[in-house]
Amino acid sequence: MRAMTDNAWARFAARRLLRLLLSIWVLLTAAFLMIHLIPGDPVRAALGVTAPAELVNARREQLGLNDPLWTQYGHYLADLFSGRLGVSTISGLPVSQVIADRYPATLELAVYAFLVAVALSVPLGLTMAVLTRTGRRRRLELGFTSTSVFLGTVPEFLVGAFLVYVFGVRLGLAPIAGWAGPDSYVLPVLALAIGPAAVLARITRVETLAVLEADFIRTARAKRLPDRRLYLRHALPNSLTATVTVAGLLLGGLVAATVLVENVFAWPGLGSTIVSSILAKDYPVVQAIVLVYGLGVLLVNLVVDVGLALLDPRSTIRES
């Protein structure tokens, strides 16, 4: 039995590693081609429309943009594996320095929003499942479902604009732009967390309702276990599989959602940087930020798969 289990884990690890490597290759290739398919000349954009043609050609030659496409692709991969992400065509700074300066602010927003979403959704979903099980409190169920569906479909930047108007402009309770201390996190984190929290709460409720009808819960009720032990120790852990899956996917989505939210709140992260770089045609910075976002999503998906395999050893993730 031990050997079978070990082999299952080995097959799972090999399969996920192969899928991860293939996904990374597709991401790197797509990021490379994206820059070459975008209309416009980044060198001309950086030097200005009045720059002499000789200067533009010299700069293109220096950057290797006059080489054949396959040669550029080989140099691109070699630079990436060597840790060289290029130089910004606008600021002249190494792209790695731009990423290092801006990425922590984006990661903070995404992680804080994820923690807030989980902290709100799991207790709320569990409570709603307990209150509305067996068809009780229909109005409460309808109100919860309608509200969660609505909040889950509203784009994060619209939520952010609403929070800015109500709590920043009208009430003056929190800063509305930039980083000015701990209070500055409140509105952007809420803007990112409200939608995912609504989705997770609805999924937690549905999964908990299914678990509450299981035979082992009926047995626990027959033993007259206290409600706290029944719900927290028996029902909740068995209802978190789908929640963990969706939560992991939402974490990857939260990192991407910071692009628009950061621009709403003028947050000094990668989101605002990529927008300004696109407008300025600073393609090396755009390319690197796309890679950072893509790799973040791939790593989150990997962690989710491993977490599900650990939570449920019988999962088809390991056995398929």
Side-chain angles (χ1 to χ4, degrees):
M1 180 65 69
R2 177 57 179 252
M4 292 178 61
T5 303
D6 292 342
N7 289 336
W9 273 109
R11 290 195 300 271
F12 168 70
R15 190 167 57 249
R16 280 308 280 118
L17 179 60
L18 179 61
R19 189 188 308 171
L20 178 64
L21 293 177
L22 179 60
S23 300
I24 291 176
W25 176 75
V26 171
L27 172 65
L28 296 180
T29 304
F32 171 78
L33 293 176
M34 174 189 69
I35 299 304
H36 290 77
L37 294 176
I38 294 177
D41 186 348
V43 176
R44 172 64 70 180
L47 298 179
V49 295
T50 60
E54 295 79 5
L55 179 60
V56 174
N57 289 329
R59 182 60 174 163
R60 288 181 61 84
E61 187 68 29
Q62 180 183 2
L63 295 176
L65 296 178
N66 292 330
D67 295 335
L69 190 63
W70 285 107
T71 303
Q72 294 185 49
Y73 184 62
H75 292 161
Y76 162 75
L77 293 180
D79 289 341
L80 285 180
F81 292 132
S82 301
R84 298 189 297 269
L85 297 178
V87 177
S88 169
T89 58
I90 301 300
S91 66
L93 296 174
V95 175
S96 57
Q97 179 179 338
V98 176
I99 299 295
D101 291 341
R102 298 286 184 155
Y103 187 59
T106 295
L107 188 62
E108 281 184 345
L109 275 188
V111 171
Y112 289 156
F114 176 76
L115 295 177
V116 170
V118 172
L120 293 175
S121 61
V122 173
L124 179 59
L126 177 63
T127 301
M128 293 305 301
V130 173
L131 295 177
T132 61
R133 66 184 181 89
T134 65
R136 297 182 298 176
R137 299 179 176 89
R138 288 290 187 180
R139 292 184 179 179
L140 178 61
E141 176 185 355
L142 179 61
F144 169 77
T145 303
S146 302
T147 303
S148 62
V149 169
F150 173 75
L151 292 177
T153 56
V154 178
E156 287 85 356
F157 73 92
L158 288 181
V159 177
F162 173 79
L163 293 176
V164 166
Y165 176 74
V166 174
F167 296 100
V169 177
R170 300 290 295 180
L171 301 178
L173 297 178
I176 61 174
W179 189 90
D183 291 345
S184 303
Y185 288 91
V186 176
L187 294 185
V189 166
L190 285 178
L192 286 170
I194 288 176
V199 174
L200 287 177
R202 191 167 71 253
I203 293 174
T204 302
R205 174 184 172 273
V206 171
E207 292 296 314
T208 304
L209 285 175
V211 170
L212 291 177
E213 299 300 322
D215 291 338
F216 71 93
I217 293 294
R218 295 192 184 97
T219 302
R221 291 184 186 279
K223 293 180 179 180
R224 299 185 180 277
L225 294 179
D227 287 345
R228 174 180 296 182
R229 184 176 179 184
L230 177 69
Y231 295 131
L232 297 183
R233 293 193 57 183
H234 294 276
L236 183 60
N238 289 281
S239 63
L240 287 182
T241 301
T243 304
V244 169
T245 304
V246 177
L249 298 176
L250 288 175
L251 177 58
L254 281 174
V255 177
T258 57
V259 173
L260 296 177
V261 172
E262 285 183 10
N263 283 277
V264 172
F265 293 95
W267 193 260
L270 288 182
S272 55
T273 302
I274 192 173
V275 171
S276 61
S277 298
I278 290 173
L279 296 176
K281 293 183 173 60
D282 193 352
Y283 293 146
V285 175
V286 175
Q287 190 176 56
I289 294 177
V290 168
L291 289 177
V292 169
Y293 279 129
L295 289 174
V297 172
L298 292 177
L299 291 177
V300 167
N301 290 340
L302 176 64
V303 171
V304 170
D305 281 354
V306 173
L308 287 176
L310 293 173
L311 286 174
D312 185 5
R314 300 166 299 176
S315 172
T316 55
I317 292 177
R318 286 181 51 196
E319 299 301 334
S320 61

